[in-house]
Amino acid sequence: MSEYTVNFADGQHIVSFEQDGSLSIDDQVVPIEIQQTNEHTFSVLVNGISVKVIAHKSQDAYQVLVDSVQQEVVVESERERLLKAYATKGKAARHRYEVHAPMPALVVKVEVEVGEEVKVGQGLLILEAMKMENEIKSHQGGKVKKILVAEGKTVEKGELLMSLE
Amino acid sequence: MGKRSIKKVLVANRGEIALRVIRTCREMGIETVAVYSEIDRNMPHVLNADEAYHIGPPPSRESYLLIEKILEVAKRAKVDAVHPGYGFLAENDEFAERVSKEGLIFVGPSADSIRAMGDKTEARRLVSNAKVPVVPGTEDSVESAQEARSFCKEYGYPVLIKAVAGGGGKGMRIVHKPEDLPQLFSAAQSEARSAFGDSRVYVEKYLERPRHVEFQILADQYGNTVHLGERECTIQRRHQKVVEETPSIILDDAMRAKMGMTAVLAAKACNYQNAGTIEFLVDKDKNFYFLEMNTRLQVEHPITEMRTGIDLVAQQLRVAMGEELGFRQGDISFYGHAIECRIYAEDVENDFLPSTGIITHLKPSQGLGVREDRGVEQGGEISVYYDPMISKLVVWGGTRSEAIERMKRALREYEILGVRTNIPLNLFVLQHPKFVSGDFDTHFLANYYRPELLEKTTAVGRTAAAVVCALLHDRALSRGSLQQMSETMPNSRNEVHSMFPSQNHVLISKWKQQRINNMRS
């Protein structure tokens, strides 16, 4: 048997492929048949109900399109799950919050200073991308610890912009 | 003036609009020349043009906005005319003038008309002299928030700060409270500067519950000016149109005739030639006011084409060649209902942040009454350099409800991965009772849209997705271990691959085989 934990944004499912070729989801056997019809397209028949799933792997997750909803799904094998649990064990959860650039952009304005107390929803900085200005707001209250960018600088997607404590 | 033929056109644009123009040119037997920035080498507008020339690095300021470069290509390729598309240089009077000075035809209005309408305060003056109603606003640009205050005091809040050189909602801010004025004023100025290179702004009274209804104009050089009906563009987000339709549910024949006539008057006020659009705001009592004129082809022009059967790009080219319009107002008939949904690369669940990346999977909708205008294909990139619009999905139906049903079907059929899109948002709009009943204003999305209201995956869909992802992961893990194995045993590589044909096989039985391989490694 091989078992996978499939994590959606709003919950997880355990998918197991049994020795006898059957498949169960969250411990329930589901009659399911799957065909890959092209590179990213899967035709899934669940009890006769036809579902089209478009999926492919991106860096650490799977991009999935089903029922016109795009989702990011993270899948872990038992081994991976155990390894991860081991790796994070002992690391005290620090109350630190990092702000990363959600897209490649130009820093138009930094709205806070180091040491400043910010509230949830407060604007931290303004990024310009695709000719539009987007304000990056704080998802968490705290004190600005570090600011790693300056106005006029271009940043890459995922780049660390500032950290809060 | 007079008649001149066009045998070869340079399309000074990229993406879907460049391809749109190229298509009509092909149909008219006109040769096309594309220009491209470094990252657009593989884009469809390059592949589909007769000739294509590199004009610079990705930032539009160093490529698509470089008048010199584009004129250089025009001369080198010996074109007769330049079509600007929309955006970039389309409403740049200097560009229109320079094109004409080179002895080439600018497929659009004269530089003077662009200038007159491009300066939003000047345009308001011009059309109000022609008895076209305008929204109350400052006559000239205002320099500071302080200066704006006196207008705000006189007319009351909310007010709208708008870029004098504006368009497309850039450099525009609504101010509801006096204390927000300074910050929003400078935000509008800085956005105006970066979008148009002109930081001037002016202030307008902001109408309550407004709708945005625009009229398509066509005018030739012989004084014939007609309108091709309206487009209802009220569904917007941050002044960016999202869903457009024609006809508008709020217009009856009498109001349509009156607004159409007014639109023609406004176009004539600046001696307009070629295709253009008069935008009106309609208030809750159905009073309408001139908002601005867009002196170019509009993004949403296909819905007018679907409903009138008139190819607007072909008309633009004919008018530019000095031909007379082949029809008068009374000859234009309207059929059925058309809707356009703009498909943007943005994350509708996460503050509408632009979503960049490679489009890894793309299969657009097809079928009766569906048209798709798109300038990027699977494998193409949505980059940070240009507009995040991926595609325009357009449908035609006999009635409004038929068109709505068709659009919902087409949106659900659309397959795209790699970047996030606003397809779920479009579906939200088309299914909302207020949209269906026609009772909406420009605040529709701000008032009703919440990410948690988006359609969710069905239970069976979720099951299917979970299994597919688990299988893909299973396959990826065994590939990984096989790869390690083949690195140490180079000769086994072929054998390994043949065990994993990637197409058309039943995956479900694969796991067993993979397990065996796992054990081996």
Side-chain angles (χ1 to χ4, degrees):
Chain A
M1 192 183 84
S2 48
E3 195 176 280
Y4 293 95
T5 311
V6 182
N7 298 289
F8 288 85
D10 55 348
Q12 59 174 219
H13 297 284
I14 308 289
V15 177
S16 332
F17 304 119
E18 311 292 348
Q19 295 280 13
D20 60 3
S22 70
L23 183 148
S24 68
I25 295 168
D26 303 329
D27 289 331
Q28 277 202 305
V29 175
V30 182
I32 203 163
E33 196 241 327
I34 303 178
Q35 292 280 337
Q36 183 167 13
T37 62
N38 70 38
E39 199 185 353
H40 304 127
T41 310
F42 298 84
S43 164
V44 185
L45 296 178
V46 187
N47 249 336
I49 296 170
S50 169
V51 186
K52 183 166 67 179
V53 179
I54 318 294
H56 70 79
K57 193 175 187 346
S58 64
Q59 283 149 352
D60 313 316
Y62 293 87
Q63 304 280 335
V64 187
L65 177 72
V66 62
D67 298 336
S68 26
V69 181
Q70 280 187 20
Q71 296 180 87
E72 223 165 65
V73 177
V74 175
V75 187
E76 288 166 322
S77 68
E78 279 166 292
R79 189 158 167 264
E80 287 170 311
R81 217 179 41 206
L82 288 171
L83 276 173
K84 206 171 98 185
Y86 182 76
T88 51
K89 213 169 94 179
K91 261 193 204 166
R94 274 183 302 166
H95 291 287
R96 198 163 167 184
Y97 166 51
E98 291 185 336
V99 184
H100 296 266
M103 67 234 165
L106 176 76
V107 180
V108 177
K109 199 167 176 202
V110 179
E111 298 178 293
V112 292
E113 287 170 14
V114 173
E116 193 176 331
E117 289 287 343
V118 296
K119 285 182 265 186
V120 176
Q122 185 176 336
L124 298 174
L125 67 177
I126 296 175
L127 299 182
E128 188 195 300
M130 292 161 167
K131 297 182 284 176
M132 297 288 279
E133 291 189 358
N134 299 281
E135 187 170 48
I136 305 300
K137 295 180 176 135
S138 184
H139 288 296
Q140 180 172 308
K143 200 179 198 178
V144 180
K145 175 107 191 298
K146 248 190 222 164
I147 299 177
L148 294 103
V149 292
E151 286 170 19
K153 193 187 172 236
T154 50
V155 292
E156 291 302 315
K157 184 174 177 170
E159 192 171 327
L160 181 63
L161 305 174
M162 58 175 74
S163 62
L164 279 77
E165 258 180 358
Chain B
M1 289 290 182
K3 290 195 183 181
R4 293 163 72 182
S5 77
I6 296 178
K7 294 201 173 67
K8 194 173 185 181
V9 172
L10 182 147
V11 185
N13 216 299
R14 66 180 296 283
E16 69 88 16
I17 194 59
L19 185 58
R20 161 75 194 86
V21 172
I22 288 168
R23 282 178 168 148
T24 289
C25 288
R26 278 269 156 91
E27 289 171 17
M28 294 173 76
I30 297 171
E31 279 188 272
T32 53
V33 177
V35 289
Y36 63 92
S37 75
E38 228 158 75
I39 52 166
D40 279 347
R41 171 64 185 83
N42 296 342
M43 294 293 271
H45 75 282
V46 175
L47 274 69
N48 287 284
D50 294 303
E51 294 173 34
Y53 300 95
H54 174 252
I55 50 165
S60 43
R61 248 164 265 205
E62 297 166 49
S63 50
Y64 297 104
L65 287 173
L66 281 185
I67 296 177
E68 293 303 329
K69 271 274 175 178
I70 287 167
L71 290 178
E72 208 180 289
V73 173
K75 279 183 270 186
R76 174 173 165 197
K78 297 191 172 62
V79 301
D80 318 299
V82 175
H83 193 302
Y86 57 71
F88 295 131
L89 295 168
E91 291 177 284
N92 183 317
D93 55 299
E94 189 198 336
F95 182 57
E97 200 162 287
R98 295 284 309 277
V99 169
S100 306
K101 278 209 179 118
E102 294 293 339
L104 307 174
I105 300 171
F106 181 76
V107 184
S110 69
D112 286 339
S113 299
I114 297 174
R115 202 154 24 234
M117 287 300 181
D119 183 317
K120 302 302 170 192
T121 50
E122 172 66 24
R124 286 161 55 85
R125 233 190 319 268
L126 206 62
V127 299
S128 41
N129 287 343
K131 304 274 176 283
V132 173
V134 299
V135 183
T138 58
E139 249 183 64
D140 294 296
S141 64
V142 288
E143 300 303 319
S144 65
Q146 203 51 42
E147 204 184 310
R149 248 181 235 291
S150 65
F151 174 86
C152 302
K153 272 202 190 118
E154 191 182 341
Y155 288 91
Y157 289 87
V159 298
L160 204 54
I161 304 165
K162 298 173 75 173
V164 169
K170 307 228 161 74
M172 199 191 305
R173 289 291 187 279
I174 306 170
V175 188
H176 291 279
K177 291 174 295 190
E179 57 267 34
D180 296 340
L181 186 64
Q183 195 214 335
L184 294 170
F185 192 89
S186 59
Q189 278 186 321
S190 94
E191 201 170 290
R193 192 183 307 113
S194 79
F196 311 109
D198 178 351
S199 66
R200 287 178 306 147
V201 296
Y202 69 104
V203 187
E204 239 178 47
K205 174 72 191 142
Y206 187 66
L207 295 182
E208 302 286 346
R209 300 207 57 200
R211 290 176 81 116
H212 179 127
V213 178
E214 60 184 32
F215 273 74
Q216 177 67 52
I217 295 293
L218 273 179
D220 65 20
Q221 58 170 276
Y222 307 99
N224 302 302
T225 305
V226 297
H227 72 82
L228 270 64
E230 77 278 16
R231 289 185 291 256
E232 163 77 67
C233 307
T234 298
I235 306 293
Q236 307 184 351
R237 198 189 71 80
R238 282 170 59 169
H239 310 291
Q240 280 274 15
K241 295 164 188 168
V242 179
V243 178
E244 298 106 340
E245 62 177 321
T246 179
S248 165
I249 201 164
I250 57 161
L251 298 197
D252 56 23
D253 286 345
M255 190 172 169
R256 179 170 297 114
K258 196 171 159 204
M259 287 180 81
M261 241 171 55
T262 309
V264 168
L265 276 180
K268 287 195 163 179
C270 69
N271 300 314
Y272 200 80
Q273 279 178 35
N274 216 286
T277 295
I278 306 288
E279 298 194 337
F280 292 107
L281 280 183
V282 182
D283 71 14
K284 54 186 193 300
D285 304 315
K286 294 199 184 179
N287 299 307
F288 62 87
Y289 305 92
F290 170 86
L291 185 63
E292 59 182 38
M293 179 169 197
N294 294 311
T295 54
R296 53 166 161 90
L297 194 64
Q298 206 84 338
V299 175
E300 59 275 23
H301 77 274
I303 57 174
T304 298
E305 296 181 324
M306 297 290 269
R307 191 159 170 258
T308 58
I310 293 170
D311 178 337
L312 284 169
V313 174
Q315 293 303 322
Q316 283 193 297
L317 288 160
R318 290 205 180 99
V319 166
M321 287 190 253
E323 286 182 23
E324 200 178 329
L325 284 179
F327 41 80
R328 298 291 174 266
Q329 192 64 55
D331 302 328
I332 301 164
S333 330
F334 300 94
Y335 307 92
H337 198 98
I339 305 177
E340 172 180 281
C341 283
R342 299 193 188 187
I343 300 183
Y344 287 111
E346 59 190 14
D347 189 345
V348 295
E349 288 175 68
N350 189 8
D351 266 351
F352 290 90
L353 285 174
S355 176
T356 53
I358 305 278
I359 298 176
T360 47
H361 178 91
L362 180 71
K363 191 162 163 270
S365 325
Q366 296 176 323
L368 177 63
V370 177
R371 163 178 174 179
E372 198 217 5
D373 280 26
R374 172 169 42 85
V376 58
E377 298 198 34
Q378 181 169 316
E381 185 181 2
I382 300 298
S383 78
V384 69
Y385 297 105
Y386 311 114
D387 194 272
M389 193 174 75
I390 300 168
S391 171
K392 306 186 312 203
L393 193 56
V394 182
V395 301
W396 182 92
T399 60
R400 184 169 188 262
S401 59
E402 190 178 296
I404 290 175
E405 290 309 315
R406 182 161 291 155
M407 182 56 94
K408 277 154 53 181
R409 186 271 291 171
L411 287 166
R412 293 209 164 95
E413 201 174 300
Y414 207 98
E415 296 175 13
I416 182 162
L417 270 187
V419 291
R420 292 260 160 177
T421 76
N422 67 341
I423 288 175
L425 178 78
N426 279 312
L427 277 168
F428 168 83
V429 173
L430 285 154
Q431 295 181 88
H432 198 282
K434 292 278 186 189
F435 177 79
V436 174
S437 69
D439 174 24
F440 52 85
D441 56 58
T442 52
H443 310 304
F444 173 86
L445 286 173
N447 287 343
Y448 300 115
Y449 173 67
R450 302 286 175 273
E452 53 275 19
L453 298 175
L454 292 174
E455 251 181 52
K456 301 274 188 299
T457 314
T458 57
V460 67
R462 206 176 151 102
T463 298
V467 174
V468 167
C469 291
L471 274 168
L472 282 175
H473 198 60
D474 193 75
R475 191 151 74 174
L477 288 180
S478 45
R479 277 235 180 99
S481 53
L482 283 171
Q483 219 161 42
Q484 282 173 0
M485 191 172 77
S486 59
E487 272 158 22
T488 49
M489 297 185 293
N491 291 339
S492 69
R493 190 163 285 169
N494 287 338
E495 190 193 336
V496 167
H497 279 284
S498 67
M499 287 195 301
F500 289 89
S502 62
Q503 301 267 318
N504 293 318
H505 63 286
V506 184
L507 286 166
I508 199 75
S509 61
K510 273 286 166 242
W511 74 268
K512 278 186 194 167
Q513 201 178 338
Q514 289 170 356
R515 221 178 108 254
I516 296 162
N517 288 319
N518 283 345
M519 288 190 311
R520 257 202 271 160
S521 67

